[in-house]
Amino acid sequence: MTLRHLDGRVWLFPGDPDPLAVRPTVAVVADDRGSVIVDAGQSPAHAREIRAALAAAGLPEPRWLVYTHHHWDHVWGACAWPEVEIVGHESAVALLRAEAARPWSHRYLREQVREDPRLGHSFRARALAVDSWDGFAVLPPTRTFADELTLPTGVVVRHVGGRHAPDSAVVRVPDSGVLLLGDCWYPPPAHLRTPEDGPDLALAASLLDDDLAWFVSAHEEPLRLAEARAVLAGAG
C-alpha cells in the first residue's frame, strides 16, 4: 500500500478491502506546520507502514493525531506515533482508559471469544493485526473537545455521535474540500448489532455540504458529492 493523493492537502493510505481484515483508511493532511494524521491505524505495524509511506512521499512529519472514535481499528496504532498530540472527543477518554486496562494478549483474545463468540470477528482480526505485544499500549486522547475544535493547520474536528460510537467525530479540511467521516454513519459494531440496526442515513445526509467535494468513510472508497447523494438516495 502507498499513500494516494485525494485533493489539496489530503492524502489517503487506503484500507484493506477485505472486511475480515478490519483495516480502515487513514488520512494525512499535509502541512508545513506539521501534518495531521486522521486515525492511528489498527496496529503498530499498520502505523509503521503509514509512517514509511509518509517519508517516501516527502510529507511533513505528523504533529497531531485525530481519533474519529475509540474503536480498536482506529486507535491501536497510536503507540507507534511518538511525539504527536492525540486529539479526540472528551467521551473517548474514559472509554479508552478502560480499554487500556485490559490485559491484551493473544491468550486474552482467545479467552474472550470463548466467553462471547460474538466477539470472534473483531478479536480474530486483532490477533492477526498485532504480531507482538511488546510496547503495545492503548492511548487515550491528550487533547479533548466537546463540540468542535480547529487545529492550527485549519483542520476542523466536530463531534457528531451516532449509533456506531458515542464519541464519533468528523474531520473537515475546508481548503481541500474534504470531509473525513470515520465510521460515524455505520451501524453499531457487529457484536452489539441487532437485526433492526442499519446505516444512519439521516446522519450521513446531514453531513452533505455543497462547499465540500469529497466524502471519505473509513471502510469505503471516497465519494464525490454527487456520488454520495446518489448512494444515499438509493439506500433510502
Side-chain angles (χ1 to χ4, degrees):
M1 291 286 187
T2 59
L3 280 173
R4 171 174 134 202
H5 184 237
L6 180 66
D7 213 334
R9 296 187 289 151
V10 180
W11 298 68
L12 302 178
F13 193 86
D16 193 321
D18 180 358
L20 295 178
V22 196
R23 203 181 209 216
T25 292
V26 171
V28 180
V29 184
D31 195 285
D32 290 339
R33 292 161 289 191
S35 294
V36 178
I37 306 298
V38 181
D39 286 328
Q42 44 90 286
S43 64
H46 188 197
R48 288 191 292 270
E49 287 182 43
I50 300 163
R51 289 184 67 88
L54 257 71
L59 298 180
E61 282 290 311
R63 185 175 168 190
W64 296 273
L65 165 59
V66 176
Y67 289 160
T68 60
H69 62 299
H70 72 283
H71 289 165
W72 76 276
D73 53 318
H74 298 260
V75 305
W76 271 24
C79 56
W81 294 104
E83 300 178 359
V84 300
E85 184 173 40
I86 302 176
V87 177
H89 188 254
E90 59 188 13
S91 66
V93 174
L95 293 166
L96 286 171
R97 283 178 178 163
E99 289 294 290
R102 300 172 76 173
W104 296 109
S105 68
H106 284 85
R107 178 178 179 178
Y108 177 72
L109 292 169
R110 289 193 298 271
E111 290 171 348
Q112 292 295 295
V113 172
R114 280 198 295 268
E115 290 180 15
D116 184 356
R118 294 176 302 170
L119 295 171
H121 178 201
S122 170
F123 278 33
R124 289 188 188 101
R126 300 181 202 215
L128 290 171
V130 180
D131 52 1
S132 171
W133 300 96
D134 292 341
F136 174 78
V138 177
L139 302 179
T142 54
R143 182 177 183 181
T144 62
F145 65 97
D147 298 313
E148 187 171 287
L149 173 68
T150 301
L151 295 175
T153 58
V155 171
V156 181
V157 188
R158 180 165 68 92
H159 178 243
V160 296
R163 296 196 300 271
H164 185 76
D167 60 318
S168 279
V170 296
V171 180
R172 184 178 182 128
V173 190
D175 59 0
S176 300
V178 175
L179 187 68
L180 302 161
L181 304 170
D183 294 353
C184 70
W185 64 281
Y186 293 163
H191 67 285
L192 300 175
R193 198 175 302 167
T194 69
E196 291 73 37
D197 284 320
D200 191 340
L201 302 180
L203 175 57
S206 73
L207 298 171
L208 296 180
D209 185 333
D210 287 341
D211 291 333
L212 293 167
W214 288 100
F215 295 82
V216 185
S217 297
H219 297 276
E220 313 282 343
E221 281 293 311
L223 296 175
R224 290 189 177 274
L225 175 61
E227 293 172 324
R229 285 186 167 144
V231 166
L232 289 174

